[in-house]
Amino acid sequence: MKNKFSLRRRVNNMNLVRFRFWFQIAAFAFIVYGGYIGLDFGNKLPTFACVYNAEGTGGKCYVGMLQHDLKHPIDMFMGYAGYAFLISLAMFAVWFWVLNKGWCGFVCPLGTMQDWLSALRRKTKIRYSEYSWANRGKIKSIKYILLLLLLLLPVMIANSVLGIPKLPNGLSMPFCDICPGRMLIPAFTGNFNQFYIDFSSKTDTVMTTLGMMIVGLFLVGSFVKKRFFCYFCPMAALQYVFSKPALLKLYKDGSKCTRCGDCYRACDMDILEIADDVTSKNLVTEDCTLCLKCVAACPEEGCLEANFAGLTVFESTKEGFILRMAMDQNKETHVH
Amino acid sequence: MYTEHTIETSAERQNRHKAMEAISVLNALKEDFKSPIHSMGYFYDLFEKVYCRHEPLHEGKAKIGTMCIQIPSEIIYALDAVPIRLCNGFYTDDEIGSDLLPQKSCPLVKATVGWFASDNFSDKPDITFSPTTCDQKTKAGAIIESFGHTVIDVGFPRTKESEESRRYWRESVKSFAVKLSKYQGKKLTRSNLERSIKKVGYAQSLYHKLTEFRKNKAVPILGVDMFLVTNAFFFDRIDEWTGAVEKLILELEKRAEDEVHVAGKASPRIVYTGSPPIFPNYKIPIIIEESDAIIVADETCSSNRMFNDMAAVDEWNLYDMIDSVSDKYLKACTCPIFTQNDDRIRRIIQLVRSYKGDGVIYQAFAGCQVYEMEQRSVLAAMEREGIPILYIESDYSPSQHGQLTTRVEAFIESLKNRKRMKK
């Protein structure tokens, strides 16, 4: 018999939206303001803890570190710099394995900002926009291209690759230049110094101008499209490479799936597989942010679940669905 | 003594025949089975009232006829009207319709057309919306229109996987909402739609509570009673219906505690699928349950398919509510009119697993082409899964009773043997 008051049942019946809202605020506070109370989670974090928020940040983003690590002449890289690089990468992976893509859905300050902008849009009753399925498929590769560029450019500054002369030093942190986090995260501590265009060299002018444009796009884009930026995020691409052995997983039991598409409708990243794939067990796909909205929106008993190291943490139940949709009682008095 | 002699009109005769059909089924439900449920009384009375005494339920309300489950009742309730689902199970009406449709048509469609041809309703729909589901229903709309009734087609796609069909159906539902809103002279708003989504959702949540009892080893409610309860949702006043089901759930809770079992200890547990049993055409379900088996779950559009999926709204604004209501009626639907239907097969298997079914009975109306055509793929899938299945074809006529009983009994006997062998 099911215990009416069991912890498991209470977790499965939880209001995920509210839980996530507060969790994200707490995570945002740790990452953006943690530095003021002496928090430092190191510089291998798999999330956008921005180095440009020097005083406030509670840790540092690994993508920044990665670009720095790669900017070494090849002979140095073959020596100690290479070891340093591998150790950094391993530490990044260890951090990442704890939460898997949950870093995106629950911790990432840029993700949280986008969710706030979505909430604002929702309040104004403006409809969200969607990509067509064809375009949705096409833009998937952009994040890998960005990742490749941010890996290659620093290498090409320190080395001449394929006879191409070394690139100018202005490209040493190419992704940071265009990352909206560089401007927006420090802004939350009252530091607006990152909103600038640097005319000191051609490269700097181009890169900082691009950066300003992308901030604008970020703000407008994520107002109209849920999690607009995440589609293009090179961090997501890098993370996905390490996703398989991670501890937190999103599992699906396809035999219980009716393909009703409720999960797809709830998905901020419009991931079709979550609804249509009835054969895979692991549903952490490349764009998944593990926000678990799909689990909360699934009406089938035990069809979707968040699993941590083999333990079910949160799973879909009929009862939970009905409670979250406020369909558990007749609120109106009988009208005759 | 003086008695006045009058000649029975055709409408009176039709009503008398329908009353006879109805009462014989109601009496069977009331009297042929052990441990009757007290709170089923509401439903027996309701059907008697509507189909024996032909009393209207919705006087003063706009009545919106729907030809299939795909017309969103949430939108109809939000616009202050009552949905009346016109799927008909009467042999009397089937015979009337037979004159108007090809010989090999589906009895359900013939009965619906016959009902309109006779124009004899206790609650006559003011306007009817007809989703373009199967060929026969689609064409029936135009025939009904030729009797002078207003029928509006609502385009329904016959594939559900593609983006185009999803969009198409969303547009169809929007245009349906606009037409109905004009007809009613009332605006569809965020608050009235939210309220009706939750109201219908609540009714569905009650259905889910009811079905939970059927997973028990001792099943406290008959399959035929369940069909009657879900069938009442076609035309009943929703608040009365939910009130009656709440009472039924309370009684079933008590019965579940006392482990009341409406069937025998060794009675095989049946999952029922195929053409919908619609009152009073409970021929096959009654034969099954009178042959010492019990229906524990079903996959039909008069019951499970109508209640299983609730609208899932992400943003409670009008735009998202309409889309989620649309998706509910397309994506979650396991109707055989769709080109591919792996979803239906998976649903049947899942029902067998979660309700511990011993076998499946697949009933198709003779003339219900889509169910007839899908039979082979379902049978093959059940064979792969090792689930015994019986396929039967039947219609509304009372004539094949003996033959059908023999086949059902033989199947049930074989299920019992199988159960014994397993032990």
Side-chain angles (χ1 to χ4, degrees):
Chain A
M1 285 301 272
K2 265 191 272 177
N3 181 358
K4 275 200 164 177
F5 304 100
S6 76
L7 180 65
R8 171 162 301 259
R9 188 166 169 201
R10 271 168 58 189
V11 170
N12 290 340
N13 287 349
M14 75 168 161
N15 182 338
L16 181 84
V17 174
R18 196 185 306 148
F19 172 76
R20 226 178 119 232
F21 178 77
W22 290 109
F23 193 103
Q24 282 180 303
I25 285 184
F28 191 89
F30 275 125
I31 301 259
V32 179
Y33 303 107
Y36 295 120
I37 52 164
L39 276 181
D40 187 3
F41 294 110
N43 53 11
K44 319 281 186 307
L45 288 184
T47 193
F48 290 123
C50 190
V51 281
Y52 293 90
N53 172 24
E55 285 170 24
T57 195
K60 286 178 191 77
C61 160
Y62 179 64
V63 170
M65 188 67 192
L66 178 65
Q67 296 169 88
H68 180 78
D69 279 355
L70 287 170
K71 208 188 82 181
H72 294 294
I74 188 75
D75 45 339
M76 248 168 96
F77 199 79
M78 283 303 164
Y80 78 93
Y83 287 117
F85 168 76
L86 286 177
I87 290 167
S88 291
L89 191 67
M91 283 183 67
F92 162 79
V94 170
W95 271 115
F96 174 67
W97 282 332
V98 181
L99 283 183
N100 200 354
K101 294 278 210 150
W103 285 98
C104 310
F106 285 86
V107 182
C108 177
L110 278 185
T112 303
M113 278 183 225
Q114 293 180 82
D115 290 342
W116 291 341
L117 282 166
S118 286
L120 189 70
R121 172 192 50 75
R122 208 163 48 234
K123 287 268 181 299
T124 54
K125 299 193 174 63
I126 297 173
R127 196 192 201 297
Y128 52 82
S129 44
E130 283 168 301
Y131 291 110
S132 74
W133 291 0
N135 288 339
R136 174 77 188 74
K138 276 182 210 150
I139 59 174
K140 269 187 179 174
S141 51
I142 294 178
K143 59 180 177 295
Y144 293 107
I145 297 170
L146 285 178
L147 177 65
L148 208 67
L149 281 175
L150 82 82
L151 294 176
L152 269 180
L153 290 177
V155 176
M156 289 167 76
I157 293 169
N159 304 282
S160 158
V161 181
L162 300 171
I164 303 168
K166 288 182 189 174
L167 296 179
N169 208 21
L171 284 172
S172 67
M173 300 284 256
F175 182 68
C176 293
D177 284 344
I178 61 164
C179 174
R182 175 173 62 89
M183 283 154 265
L184 293 174
I185 293 173
F188 274 86
T189 62
N191 172 3
F192 294 91
N193 293 340
Q194 292 298 324
F195 290 88
Y196 65 83
I197 293 177
D198 181 355
F199 291 102
S200 59
S201 74
K202 259 188 203 157
T203 347
D204 284 327
T205 314
V206 171
M207 293 305 280
T208 48
T209 310
L210 260 178
M212 289 295 274
M213 282 161 63
I214 287 173
V215 165
L217 264 177
F218 174 89
L219 294 173
V220 177
S222 52
F223 184 79
V224 293
K225 171 80 198 74
K226 295 180 217 172
R227 290 272 175 154
F228 167 77
F229 181 74
C230 304
Y231 288 88
F232 311 105
C233 178
M235 174 79 90
L238 179 67
Q239 287 179 348
Y240 189 57
V241 178
F242 299 92
S243 177
K244 282 268 139 51
L247 296 175
L248 186 64
K249 284 279 171 57
L250 172 63
Y251 283 153
K252 177 171 174 177
D253 181 347
S255 71
K256 292 174 177 165
C257 175
T258 66
R259 297 205 304 168
C260 66
D262 289 357
C263 48
Y264 167 77
R265 292 180 39 70
C267 182
D268 289 348
M269 299 298 292
D270 303 337
I271 296 166
L272 261 181
E273 290 92 329
I274 188 71
D276 286 353
D277 186 342
V278 289
T279 47
S280 307
K281 185 182 180 199
N282 179 13
L283 257 291
V284 183
T285 49
E286 55 184 288
D287 287 327
C288 178
T289 65
L290 267 179
C291 67
L292 306 183
K293 277 175 80 183
C294 52
V295 182
C298 176
E300 296 301 324
E301 208 72 30
C303 180
L304 287 174
E305 67 168 65
N307 186 298
F308 190 85
L311 288 171
T312 305
V313 210
F314 173 50
E315 69 176 340
S316 59
T317 57
K318 236 168 227 171
E319 188 185 45
F321 173 91
I322 288 166
L323 283 169
R324 283 185 284 270
M325 291 293 156
M327 287 171 177
D328 56 315
Q329 48 186 313
N330 216 357
K331 291 209 176 69
E332 270 185 320
T333 45
H334 286 208
V335 188
H336 292 287
Chain B
M1 218 177 115
Y2 174 75
T3 31
E4 198 181 335
H5 291 280
T6 48
I7 295 170
E8 192 178 40
T9 64
S10 61
E12 280 165 354
R13 196 172 72 108
Q14 184 189 7
N15 285 350
R16 184 168 53 82
H17 282 185
K18 284 173 84 167
M20 275 166 16
E21 280 188 63
I23 202 69
S24 71
V25 169
L26 289 174
N27 284 344
L29 261 54
K30 279 193 250 183
E31 287 155 16
D32 290 2
F33 300 97
K34 64 170 187 174
S35 342
I37 302 170
H38 179 69
S39 44
M40 277 305 293
Y42 169 83
F43 297 97
Y44 300 144
D45 292 346
L46 175 76
F47 279 83
E48 209 174 309
K49 185 177 171 185
V50 172
Y51 291 116
C52 298
R53 298 200 300 275
H54 307 283
E55 288 172 22
L57 287 177
H58 305 289
E59 273 175 317
K61 278 257 177 186
K63 293 170 284 273
I64 310 302
T66 64
M67 293 282 281
C68 265
I69 42 171
Q70 283 83 358
I71 300 297
S73 48
E74 288 88 347
I75 294 176
I76 301 179
Y77 284 121
L79 291 170
D80 204 23
V82 193
I84 309 259
R85 190 162 147 206
L86 298 164
C87 298
N88 188 339
F90 281 91
Y91 181 55
T92 310
D93 292 336
D94 170 23
E95 279 195 307
I96 300 171
S98 293
D99 296 339
L100 301 153
L101 290 176
Q103 202 192 355
K104 282 183 179 162
S105 310
C106 158
L108 191 157
V109 178
K110 282 194 280 188
T112 303
V113 170
W115 203 5
F116 275 98
S118 61
D119 199 25
N120 182 10
F121 292 88
S122 52
D123 273 304
K124 189 180 176 186
D126 299 301
I127 183 171
T128 294
F129 288 92
S130 166
T132 56
T133 50
C134 71
D135 288 354
Q136 298 188 43
K137 287 251 176 148
T138 305
K139 298 297 283 178
I143 296 175
I144 291 166
E145 198 163 27
S146 72
F147 304 145
H149 186 77
T150 315
V151 179
I152 297 179
D153 291 330
V154 182
F156 188 76
R158 296 183 75 166
T159 53
K160 58 175 174 175
E161 282 78 15
S162 72
E163 187 181 24
E164 296 76 29
S165 48
R166 188 194 285 257
R167 280 206 195 136
Y168 171 58
W169 177 238
R170 284 178 175 181
E171 288 308 312
S172 281
V173 169
K174 270 178 215 152
S175 119
F176 154 73
V178 168
K179 282 171 192 158
L180 188 63
S181 148
K182 267 194 195 140
Y183 183 79
Q184 285 291 86
K186 197 179 154 106
K187 252 185 118 171
L188 191 64
T189 64
R190 180 180 182 272
S191 66
N192 64 24
L193 186 56
E194 178 174 347
R195 221 176 315 132
S196 73
I197 285 179
K198 287 180 177 165
K199 188 192 270 288
V200 174
Y202 176 64
Q204 291 181 280
S205 79
L206 292 180
Y207 166 80
H208 284 293
K209 274 190 185 164
L210 273 183
T211 55
E212 277 305 303
F213 294 110
R214 303 167 90 189
K215 288 182 180 162
N216 296 357
K217 216 172 160 198
V219 186
I221 184 166
L222 285 167
V224 279
D225 277 341
M226 274 301 292
F227 277 130
L228 199 73
V229 170
T230 54
N231 208 159
F233 198 72
F234 282 27
F235 58 87
D236 198 8
R237 288 162 293 190
I238 186 165
D239 289 322
E240 267 71 4
W241 188 91
T242 47
V245 175
E246 282 166 357
K247 284 193 195 112
L248 181 58
I249 289 170
L250 288 180
E251 191 176 345
L252 292 188
E253 267 167 16
K254 182 83 192 37
R255 282 161 79 94
E257 262 171 44
D258 301 342
E259 295 188 10
V260 177
H261 190 26
V262 289
K265 239 184 177 172
S267 302
R269 300 162 68 94
I270 302 291
V271 173
Y272 190 96
T273 184
S275 307
I278 289 166
F279 185 83
N281 174 44
Y282 288 175
K283 203 157 71 176
I284 309 289
I286 289 178
I287 292 176
I288 294 170
E289 298 202 319
E290 284 185 341
S291 311
D292 194 25
I294 170 125
I295 300 170
V296 288
D298 73 276
E299 191 284 314
T300 66
C301 64
S302 60
S303 186
N304 174 292
R305 201 180 299 150
M306 180 165 65
F307 284 101
N308 190 66
D309 289 277
M310 295 152 276
V313 185
D314 187 36
E315 299 185 358
W316 290 92
N317 284 325
L318 197 55
Y319 55 80
D320 201 42
M321 283 191 265
I322 295 186
D323 282 357
S324 77
V325 165
S326 314
D327 284 3
K328 164 189 164 182
Y329 288 97
L330 175 71
K331 298 299 282 184
C333 187
T334 48
C335 183
I337 60 139
F338 293 115
T339 47
Q340 288 168 5
N341 218 351
D342 299 341
D343 292 348
R344 181 168 167 236
I345 290 169
R346 265 208 327 284
R347 172 83 56 89
I348 298 170
I349 295 169
Q350 183 56 24
L351 287 172
V352 172
R353 302 267 178 268
S354 50
Y355 290 83
K356 299 179 197 74
D358 297 306
V360 176
I361 292 184
Y362 185 138
Q363 188 265 163
F365 295 146
C368 177
Q369 205 185 21
V370 280
Y371 274 112
E372 290 172 325
M373 286 182 80
E374 223 167 77
Q375 177 249 125
R376 283 176 66 89
S377 64
V378 173
L379 259 57
M382 294 305 128
E383 199 168 326
R384 271 200 306 278
E385 295 291 320
I387 300 167
I389 180 166
L390 170 71
Y391 173 68
I392 10 181
E393 243 179 63
S394 78
D395 54 23
Y396 285 6
S397 79
S399 59
Q400 320 149 300
H401 197 267
Q403 191 199 45
L404 288 170
T405 308
T406 311
R407 290 193 61 200
V408 171
E409 277 177 350
F411 180 66
I412 289 167
E413 250 348 277
S414 77
L415 290 181
K416 281 186 186 166
N417 276 335
R418 217 176 113 103
K419 257 183 145 172
R420 251 176 255 136
M421 302 273 274
K422 264 189 191 165
K423 274 178 191 167

PDB file of all heavy atoms in Angstrom, chain B residues 403-417:
ATOM      1  N   GLN B 403     -23.941 -17.440 -30.972  1.00  0.00           N
ATOM      2  CA  GLN B 403     -22.639 -17.676 -31.593  1.00  0.00           C
ATOM      3  C   GLN B 403     -21.529 -16.887 -30.882  1.00  0.00           C
ATOM      4  O   GLN B 403     -20.460 -17.422 -30.591  1.00  0.00           O
ATOM      5  CB  GLN B 403     -22.783 -17.220 -33.038  1.00  0.00           C
ATOM      6  CG  GLN B 403     -21.684 -17.592 -33.939  1.00  0.00           C
ATOM      7  CD  GLN B 403     -21.720 -16.697 -35.170  1.00  0.00           C
ATOM      8  OE1 GLN B 403     -21.880 -15.483 -35.065  1.00  0.00           O
ATOM      9  NE2 GLN B 403     -21.594 -17.294 -36.338  1.00  0.00           N
ATOM     10  N   LEU B 404     -21.829 -15.615 -30.577  1.00  0.00           N
ATOM     11  CA  LEU B 404     -20.829 -14.788 -29.898  1.00  0.00           C
ATOM     12  C   LEU B 404     -20.512 -15.342 -28.517  1.00  0.00           C
ATOM     13  O   LEU B 404     -19.355 -15.398 -28.105  1.00  0.00           O
ATOM     14  CB  LEU B 404     -21.338 -13.344 -29.776  1.00  0.00           C
ATOM     15  CG  LEU B 404     -21.378 -12.538 -31.074  1.00  0.00           C
ATOM     16  CD1 LEU B 404     -22.118 -11.230 -30.866  1.00  0.00           C
ATOM     17  CD2 LEU B 404     -19.957 -12.268 -31.564  1.00  0.00           C
ATOM     18  N   THR B 405     -21.579 -15.774 -27.819  1.00  0.00           N
ATOM     19  CA  THR B 405     -21.380 -16.325 -26.479  1.00  0.00           C
ATOM     20  C   THR B 405     -20.448 -17.534 -26.532  1.00  0.00           C
ATOM     21  O   THR B 405     -19.538 -17.658 -25.722  1.00  0.00           O
ATOM     22  CB  THR B 405     -22.730 -16.725 -25.861  1.00  0.00           C
ATOM     23  OG1 THR B 405     -23.603 -15.601 -25.966  1.00  0.00           O
ATOM     24  CG2 THR B 405     -22.600 -17.112 -24.403  1.00  0.00           C
ATOM     25  N   THR B 406     -20.673 -18.410 -27.508  1.00  0.00           N
ATOM     26  CA  THR B 406     -19.840 -19.603 -27.621  1.00  0.00           C
ATOM     27  C   THR B 406     -18.368 -19.231 -27.781  1.00  0.00           C
ATOM     28  O   THR B 406     -17.493 -19.780 -27.128  1.00  0.00           O
ATOM     29  CB  THR B 406     -20.280 -20.427 -28.850  1.00  0.00           C
ATOM     30  OG1 THR B 406     -21.692 -20.570 -28.794  1.00  0.00           O
ATOM     31  CG2 THR B 406     -19.617 -21.794 -28.864  1.00  0.00           C
ATOM     32  N   ARG B 407     -18.119 -18.260 -28.659  1.00  0.00           N
ATOM     33  CA  ARG B 407     -16.729 -17.884 -28.913  1.00  0.00           C
ATOM     34  C   ARG B 407     -16.086 -17.247 -27.686  1.00  0.00           C
ATOM     35  O   ARG B 407     -14.949 -17.560 -27.332  1.00  0.00           O
ATOM     36  CB  ARG B 407     -16.662 -16.905 -30.092  1.00  0.00           C
ATOM     37  CG  ARG B 407     -17.003 -17.562 -31.416  1.00  0.00           C
ATOM     38  CD  ARG B 407     -16.631 -16.678 -32.564  1.00  0.00           C
ATOM     39  NE  ARG B 407     -15.204 -16.395 -32.585  1.00  0.00           N
ATOM     40  CZ  ARG B 407     -14.657 -15.380 -33.230  1.00  0.00           C
ATOM     41  NH1 ARG B 407     -15.425 -14.556 -33.914  1.00  0.00           N
ATOM     42  NH2 ARG B 407     -13.359 -15.172 -33.202  1.00  0.00           N
ATOM     43  N   VAL B 408     -16.844 -16.347 -27.035  1.00  0.00           N
ATOM     44  CA  VAL B 408     -16.285 -15.675 -25.855  1.00  0.00           C
ATOM     45  C   VAL B 408     -16.043 -16.687 -24.740  1.00  0.00           C
ATOM     46  O   VAL B 408     -14.983 -16.694 -24.098  1.00  0.00           O
ATOM     47  CB  VAL B 408     -17.223 -14.535 -25.387  1.00  0.00           C
ATOM     48  CG1 VAL B 408     -16.775 -13.981 -24.040  1.00  0.00           C
ATOM     49  CG2 VAL B 408     -17.251 -13.421 -26.428  1.00  0.00           C
ATOM     50  N   GLU B 409     -17.021 -17.579 -24.538  1.00  0.00           N
ATOM     51  CA  GLU B 409     -16.874 -18.575 -23.471  1.00  0.00           C
ATOM     52  C   GLU B 409     -15.659 -19.468 -23.708  1.00  0.00           C
ATOM     53  O   GLU B 409     -14.906 -19.766 -22.778  1.00  0.00           O
ATOM     54  CB  GLU B 409     -18.135 -19.437 -23.369  1.00  0.00           C
ATOM     55  CG  GLU B 409     -19.227 -18.767 -22.541  1.00  0.00           C
ATOM     56  CD  GLU B 409     -20.511 -19.585 -22.496  1.00  0.00           C
ATOM     57  OE1 GLU B 409     -20.621 -20.573 -23.266  1.00  0.00           O
ATOM     58  OE2 GLU B 409     -21.399 -19.226 -21.717  1.00  0.00           O
ATOM     59  N   ALA B 410     -15.482 -19.875 -24.973  1.00  0.00           N
ATOM     60  CA  ALA B 410     -14.345 -20.741 -25.290  1.00  0.00           C
ATOM     61  C   ALA B 410     -13.030 -20.035 -24.978  1.00  0.00           C
ATOM     62  O   ALA B 410     -12.110 -20.615 -24.403  1.00  0.00           O
ATOM     63  CB  ALA B 410     -14.396 -21.143 -26.761  1.00  0.00           C
ATOM     64  N   PHE B 411     -12.976 -18.751 -25.333  1.00  0.00           N
ATOM     65  CA  PHE B 411     -11.759 -17.973 -25.073  1.00  0.00           C
ATOM     66  C   PHE B 411     -11.499 -17.867 -23.568  1.00  0.00           C
ATOM     67  O   PHE B 411     -10.377 -18.070 -23.094  1.00  0.00           O
ATOM     68  CB  PHE B 411     -11.897 -16.585 -25.700  1.00  0.00           C
ATOM     69  CG  PHE B 411     -10.711 -15.693 -25.488  1.00  0.00           C
ATOM     70  CD1 PHE B 411      -9.477 -15.989 -26.050  1.00  0.00           C
ATOM     71  CD2 PHE B 411     -10.826 -14.533 -24.727  1.00  0.00           C
ATOM     72  CE1 PHE B 411      -8.379 -15.149 -25.868  1.00  0.00           C
ATOM     73  CE2 PHE B 411      -9.736 -13.693 -24.533  1.00  0.00           C
ATOM     74  CZ  PHE B 411      -8.514 -14.006 -25.101  1.00  0.00           C
ATOM     75  N   ILE B 412     -12.569 -17.578 -22.843  1.00  0.00           N
ATOM     76  CA  ILE B 412     -12.418 -17.417 -21.392  1.00  0.00           C
ATOM     77  C   ILE B 412     -11.999 -18.743 -20.746  1.00  0.00           C
ATOM     78  O   ILE B 412     -11.145 -18.774 -19.851  1.00  0.00           O
ATOM     79  CB  ILE B 412     -13.712 -16.839 -20.783  1.00  0.00           C
ATOM     80  CG1 ILE B 412     -13.836 -15.372 -21.223  1.00  0.00           C
ATOM     81  CG2 ILE B 412     -13.720 -16.952 -19.269  1.00  0.00           C
ATOM     82  CD1 ILE B 412     -15.177 -14.758 -20.980  1.00  0.00           C
ATOM     83  N   GLU B 413     -12.575 -19.842 -21.224  1.00  0.00           N
ATOM     84  CA  GLU B 413     -12.180 -21.170 -20.733  1.00  0.00           C
ATOM     85  C   GLU B 413     -10.680 -21.386 -20.964  1.00  0.00           C
ATOM     86  O   GLU B 413      -9.972 -21.855 -20.078  1.00  0.00           O
ATOM     87  CB  GLU B 413     -12.959 -22.258 -21.494  1.00  0.00           C
ATOM     88  CG  GLU B 413     -14.021 -23.036 -20.734  1.00  0.00           C
ATOM     89  CD  GLU B 413     -14.023 -22.869 -19.216  1.00  0.00           C
ATOM     90  OE1 GLU B 413     -13.227 -23.566 -18.568  1.00  0.00           O
ATOM     91  OE2 GLU B 413     -14.815 -22.059 -18.691  1.00  0.00           O
ATOM     92  N   SER B 414     -10.235 -21.011 -22.159  1.00  0.00           N
ATOM     93  CA  SER B 414      -8.813 -21.229 -22.464  1.00  0.00           C
ATOM     94  C   SER B 414      -7.931 -20.364 -21.568  1.00  0.00           C
ATOM     95  O   SER B 414      -6.850 -20.781 -21.166  1.00  0.00           O
ATOM     96  CB  SER B 414      -8.529 -20.956 -23.942  1.00  0.00           C
ATOM     97  OG  SER B 414      -8.475 -19.569 -24.172  1.00  0.00           O
ATOM     98  N   LEU B 415      -8.408 -19.167 -21.241  1.00  0.00           N
ATOM     99  CA  LEU B 415      -7.632 -18.310 -20.334  1.00  0.00           C
ATOM    100  C   LEU B 415      -7.555 -18.937 -18.946  1.00  0.00           C
ATOM    101  O   LEU B 415      -6.522 -18.885 -18.279  1.00  0.00           O
ATOM    102  CB  LEU B 415      -8.262 -16.917 -20.232  1.00  0.00           C
ATOM    103  CG  LEU B 415      -8.185 -16.020 -21.458  1.00  0.00           C
ATOM    104  CD1 LEU B 415      -8.826 -14.674 -21.157  1.00  0.00           C
ATOM    105  CD2 LEU B 415      -6.745 -15.804 -21.902  1.00  0.00           C
ATOM    106  N   LYS B 416      -8.676 -19.542 -18.539  1.00  0.00           N
ATOM    107  CA  LYS B 416      -8.690 -20.191 -17.220  1.00  0.00           C
ATOM    108  C   LYS B 416      -7.699 -21.353 -17.189  1.00  0.00           C
ATOM    109  O   LYS B 416      -6.951 -21.517 -16.226  1.00  0.00           O
ATOM    110  CB  LYS B 416     -10.094 -20.714 -16.907  1.00  0.00           C
ATOM    111  CG  LYS B 416     -11.048 -19.637 -16.429  1.00  0.00           C
ATOM    112  CD  LYS B 416     -12.341 -20.284 -16.007  1.00  0.00           C
ATOM    113  CE  LYS B 416     -13.386 -19.248 -15.646  1.00  0.00           C
ATOM    114  NZ  LYS B 416     -14.718 -19.849 -15.570  1.00  0.00           N
ATOM    115  N   ASN B 417      -7.694 -22.138 -18.265  1.00  0.00           N
ATOM    116  CA  ASN B 417      -6.758 -23.251 -18.363  1.00  0.00           C
ATOM    117  C   ASN B 417      -5.327 -22.756 -18.270  1.00  0.00           C
ATOM    118  O   ASN B 417      -4.498 -23.315 -17.569  1.00  0.00           O
ATOM    119  CB  ASN B 417      -6.935 -23.986 -19.699  1.00  0.00           C
ATOM    120  CG  ASN B 417      -8.057 -25.003 -19.605  1.00  0.00           C
ATOM    121  OD1 ASN B 417      -8.374 -25.478 -18.506  1.00  0.00           O
ATOM    122  ND2 ASN B 417      -8.667 -25.318 -20.736  1.00  0.00           N
TER     123      ASN B 417
END
